[in-house]
Amino acid sequence: MTGSAEREVQALESLPALLSGAVADAVRAARGFAGGIYLRSSTPGLLRMAVLAGLPNQLFRPWWRMHVDRPFPVADVHRLGEEVLLTDATETMRRYPQLAAGLPFPFGSLYVPVVGASTSFGVLTVLRPSASDATEVLPDRDRMTAVADELGAALAALDKDGPGTVTWDDEPMNVPAPADGPSAQCVGAFTWDPYDGAVTADDALAALLGTAPGGFAGTPDALADTLSREDPSLLLAALRETAAGRPPAHALPVRIADGGLRLLALWPSDATPGPPYRVSGAVVDPGRGPAADRAADLLPEGVFALDRLGLITYANPRATELLGRPRTELLGRPLWEAVPWLARPSYEDHLRGALLSPDPVHFQVRRPHGNSPGQTPGRHGGEWLTMSIYAGPGSLTCKLVPMGRVADAAEADPFEAPAAQGAEVDEPADGAPTTAPLYRPIVLAIALTEAVTARQVSEVVMRELLPAFGGRRLAIYLLQDRRLYLAWETGFPQGFLAPYDGVALDVRLPGVETLTSGRPLFYESMQQLAAAYPGIALDAKEGARAFLPLIASGRPVGSCILGFDRSRTFSTEERTVLTALAGLIAQALERARRYDNEAALARGLQEALLPHRLSAHPLVTTAGRYLPGTLGMDVGGDWYDVVEAGDGLALVIGDVQGHGVQAAATMGQLRSAVRAFALSDRSPDEVMSGTNRLLIDLDPGQFASCCYVRLDPVTGVARAARAGHPQPLLRHPDGRTEVLDLPGGVVLGVDPQARYPVTELLLEPGAVLALYTDGMVERPGTDIDEGVETLRANLSRAGTRRGRTGGPSVSAAADLLTAEARQATERPDDIALLLTTRRAPRDGDK
């Protein structure tokens, strides 16, 4: 292995310990109860949660991945490089409604970018109790920012060992939140030095192991034999993994000499700079002490306790009876593994609420018939229980009471109760993926309100709906002229859906019949689908399929196909939710279709208003480019023009505030006014003043910026006036490019008495003058001066290409300067660019 490869491996091994320590420091600094860190992944535009502290991984799986373009605080912070502070649930709902809909609980949160040198690595986040005022949280934010800065510097140092080293593509590490002080439950501690193999134990641990102080053998084998007599190799493996920077996600259940259950926590020590790390460990007593155990054991209700990572740390006899598991199979295991029938999305949502909110949570759960160990819920029946959860700083206390008992039942969530005693409720079959949480329709509905085109609607469905139901394939067909046309697909084999593009409504296919009948079709396996439609082409050997009709206000819109990699059942709840979601999707697509029609009309209007031919002169070459923004209707108010002005040329560029039809119409009026003034060869200041007064008289409620340059092609003398517009650029014949400093007046449409000073400059033969709108130089999260400097440098390089006359090729330069914007999937603003160059006059030129 080469030296650079060894350094990269070492960097990767030290990353987990570095991240875990930073999250713990951030939680302490911001006085939070949980935290995490998102890192960039190897997939462009995708962040992954690398560490989650103080909350169980399983319950927060929907938030493991985050696209940088999503309307969530983590994405905004990474993309814009600015901190986000959300004091409470109200502020969260106001600024990030999708986050509030997904986690509708009263808590506050802080998000800080992790940046090293010029690289943005990810985002550090902390969840904390709600605050009444932002000023309460500002000191916490400042301390947390300092932690993020230190982490960014450390990650930058790791990244130098191998560019791109600091990425995360695995599941998040799940670690406990840092304790405020030594745990009262800790009954023994030790350290293991992997270099010399010595285990050093404190007196409490020695007593726990049944040895006199100093009598412990002090080796990892002796520790493993004492704490894990059934399989010492598991504990030894955990020690080695922790020394490599990969501590166990949960505390390990172990049994001491007297058979009592204890929890063993392991973590790498910060004292060592890199792997192998010194390992620290603590043996924790999960119980409440003999007196508390005896008291709780006498209660008629079922009582059990969870730590904040979801591990069961205590259960009284009545709880073991109601949960259907002996105590030995409950303690030290995650709740959803020990009691699989509690692993339902609606129950998990309540557990999330208990972890994120200080208030008690009450809801109903259904215990399946028989309820024997290893049994999963049956299809129907079972006994309903009221479950109450009371959150503490380090644990959750849960109470189970059969329905019909009074305790707290009146406070239970009525929406979780069965419609009537003995009512049949479908459950997912064994091994089937869990259904989407009940709040998912709200999340999808909010996301769909921000989608305005059919493509954006399809992207939202792919991002929100597929992960919620565990799907891997999606196809959306839209109805046009009694045929279904493929509008979006993902996950299907390349070319598989091509034969079905444009299929007529009289063809017997499930995607057609779900629309013509108005009924959703669900097939739990490919065999079921093949039996219902003999001879139909199948894209896989295994998997379930759901075909959903897209109908909005009684009008057919299209059909939606969801594909799953494995066979599965669809519960009544899932079928109902998917059918309702199909209605939301259909309404969004119908709205997008109307929008697309209106946008096409608006684009036609704009194309008619923009110049199709620029005025020309034998000594002058110009090149213009216009790119509409991708937000809204792709229609805006940017324009450029070249107009004959006496014996010269007028070079014009402008930008009407806003987007849409109104901005385009105002642009057309201003362009006509400027052309009229230019054709009469008015001076630049008169052109600006006259156009300003016209815009004020029109009173469209908009303003505009503009730059007007009157060029003499023979002498190269140019006279310019500027109204609130970005400064032009000038590339000299020797390649030196500068940002001009032209004095100017206020934007057009504000002050009827505004004055626009005129500046004279010289356009030498071979020089290039660049006029542009702010869409060329503005980027979210960056200063506009940086964008201008980038454009200046690009123009300096682009001007090296030569045209047929020997001078610079402004057409090629215009293409190069707009190449990145043309390839971008999103442009926040319109872009207009006008480049002009001239050659020296020859004999015979006029």
Side-chain angles (χ1 to χ4, degrees), residues 248-281:
H250 300 290
L252 304 175
V254 296
R255 298 195 177 277
I256 58 175
D258 62 3
L261 175 74
R262 298 294 184 265
L263 298 178
L264 172 62
L266 299 173
W267 63 94
S269 171
D270 295 335
T272 351
Y277 297 99
R278 183 178 299 169
V279 176
S280 298

Side-chain angles (χ1 to χ4, degrees), residues 50-224:
V51 180
L52 180 61
L55 294 171
N57 262 356
Q58 177 71 18
L59 294 185
F60 293 86
R61 181 180 292 270
W63 293 271
W64 284 7
R65 297 156 48 98
M66 184 66 61
H67 288 273
V68 297
D69 59 348
R70 298 190 69 186
F72 281 78
V74 167
D76 281 356
V77 170
H78 182 72
R79 190 176 64 254
L80 304 178
E82 300 175 355
E83 301 163 353
V84 168
L85 163 60
L86 304 175
T87 54
D88 54 20
T90 302
E91 178 73 1
T92 304
M93 175 59 77
R94 183 181 69 82
R95 297 181 58 184
Y96 296 97
Q98 287 195 51
L99 174 63
L103 294 172
F105 313 115
F107 65 93
S109 52
L110 275 166
Y111 307 84
V112 177
V114 178
V115 180
S118 59
T119 302
S120 179
F121 292 106
V123 178
L124 192 60
T125 177
V126 167
L127 308 185
R128 62 187 313 282
S130 299
S132 57
D133 193 286
T135 55
E136 298 179 22
V137 192
L138 294 182
D140 301 338
R141 182 202 62 187
D142 294 341
R143 290 191 296 269
M144 182 175 163
T145 300
V147 174
D149 290 343
E150 292 181 5
L151 176 60
L155 294 179
L158 290 182
D159 212 44
K160 289 180 180 177
D161 292 328
T165 297
V166 181
T167 58
W168 195 270
D169 293 297
D170 299 324
E171 293 185 1
M173 296 184 293
N174 204 191
V175 299
D180 295 332
S183 171
Q185 293 179 326
C186 179
V187 296
F190 67 89
T191 59
W192 173 53
D193 189 338
Y195 286 100
D196 60 15
V199 175
T200 305
D202 62 12
D203 291 345
L205 182 62
L208 178 65
L209 299 178
T211 62
F216 173 57
T219 65
D221 289 335
L223 181 69

Side-chain angles (χ1 to χ4, degrees), residues 496-572:
F496 174 77
L497 295 178
Y500 306 106
D501 191 14
V503 66
L505 293 186
D506 57 357
V507 178
R508 189 173 184 271
L509 290 170
V512 173
E513 293 192 353
T514 188
L515 180 62
T516 56
S517 68
R519 295 182 297 102
L521 303 175
F522 297 93
Y523 298 96
E524 300 179 353
S525 66
M526 299 303 285
Q527 290 75 19
Q528 279 190 7
L529 178 60
Y533 295 88
I536 190 174
L538 303 177
D539 59 298
K541 293 182 179 179
E542 298 292 336
R545 294 290 181 268
F547 298 86
L548 308 175
L550 301 179
I551 299 174
S553 303
R555 294 188 300 274
V557 175
S559 58
C560 176
I561 304 173
L562 297 180
F564 303 84
D565 287 344
R566 288 177 291 190
S567 301
R568 53 159 296 167
T569 58
F570 296 93
S571 68
T572 300

Side-chain angles (χ1 to χ4, degrees), residues 272-539:
T272 351
Y277 297 99
R278 183 178 299 169
V279 176
S280 298
V283 179
V284 180
D285 182 356
R288 306 183 178 197
D293 283 352
R294 285 194 298 270
D297 286 352
L298 298 176
L299 293 176
E301 298 90 359
V303 176
F304 63 97
L306 309 172
D307 71 7
R308 295 193 71 86
L309 295 186
L311 270 68
I312 302 174
T313 58
Y314 169 78
N316 73 350
R318 180 57 170 156
T320 64
E321 177 185 342
L322 293 174
L323 294 175
R325 295 290 184 275
R327 186 170 179 174
T328 55
E329 296 184 12
L330 292 174
L331 299 185
R333 296 182 63 190
L335 176 64
W336 35 88
E337 291 182 8
V339 191
W341 53 267
L342 283 177
R344 296 194 62 197
S346 55
Y347 302 163
E348 291 176 354
D349 198 30
H350 287 297
L351 284 169
R352 278 190 286 267
L355 287 161
L356 298 176
S357 169
D359 301 323
V361 174
H362 310 279
F363 58 102
Q364 271 74 44
V365 299
R366 198 186 58 150
R367 181 183 62 176
H369 276 316
N371 201 27
S372 59
Q375 179 182 354
T376 54
R379 195 68 175 167
H380 304 289
E383 179 184 6
W384 285 92
L385 311 172
T386 296
M387 187 168 179
S388 302
I389 306 178
Y390 304 86
S395 63
L396 304 176
T397 299
C398 308
K399 180 166 61 175
L400 285 172
V401 179
M403 285 192 67
R405 295 281 305 278
V406 176
D408 293 329
E411 302 178 41
D413 184 352
F415 297 104
E416 285 295 328
Q421 289 296 324
E424 294 185 346
V425 181
D426 283 342
E427 299 275 358
D430 187 18
T434 59
T435 60
L438 296 181
Y439 62 79
R440 202 72 197 184
I442 302 174
V443 177
L444 182 64
I446 293 174
L448 287 173
T449 61
E450 301 177 357
V452 294
T453 67
R455 178 181 180 85
Q456 290 171 344
V457 171
S458 301
E459 288 175 343
V460 167
V461 175
M462 179 187 70
R463 202 168 54 221
E464 298 291 344
L465 188 63
L466 282 187
F469 287 85
R472 293 292 183 271
R473 292 170 168 82
L474 170 69
I476 292 179
Y477 286 84
L478 295 181
L479 180 65
Q480 183 178 352
D481 299 329
R482 295 191 57 78
R483 290 182 177 272
L484 285 173
Y485 292 92
L486 183 63
W488 179 273
E489 67 167 307
T490 183
F492 286 91
Q494 186 175 4
F496 174 77
L497 295 178
Y500 306 106
D501 191 14
V503 66
L505 293 186
D506 57 357
V507 178
R508 189 173 184 271
L509 290 170
V512 173
E513 293 192 353
T514 188
L515 180 62
T516 56
S517 68
R519 295 182 297 102
L521 303 175
F522 297 93
Y523 298 96
E524 300 179 353
S525 66
M526 299 303 285
Q527 290 75 19
Q528 279 190 7
L529 178 60
Y533 295 88
I536 190 174
L538 303 177
D539 59 298

